[in-house]
Amino acid sequence: MGVKTFAGLLIGLGVVLLVVGWWAWNPVGFVGAVLIALGAVVRMTRPRDGESR
């Protein structure tokens, strides 16, 4: 699994948790928001093609 796929899965899981938390008035929605933000950060900071670490 690549970084792009991992970040996409984090964002997808975050959206699901955000919707479930909002719908059920459950604090898990905050976890969803954090996962969305984390996935976005991972996507923005991943190495680009040709960049070295």
Side-chain angles (χ1 to χ4, degrees):
M1 172 186 321
V3 174
K4 193 173 182 180
T5 305
F6 179 70
L9 289 174
L10 279 179
I11 292 171
L13 180 62
V15 168
V16 169
L17 289 178
L18 187 66
V19 169
V20 168
W22 176 74
W23 182 68
W25 287 85
N26 193 322
V28 77
F30 293 110
V31 174
V34 169
L35 285 178
I36 292 170
L38 182 63
V41 167
V42 168
R43 274 193 74 119
M44 288 187 292
T45 59
R46 71 179 175 88
R48 304 288 190 251
D49 292 335
E51 287 185 9
S52 63
R53 292 178 59 158

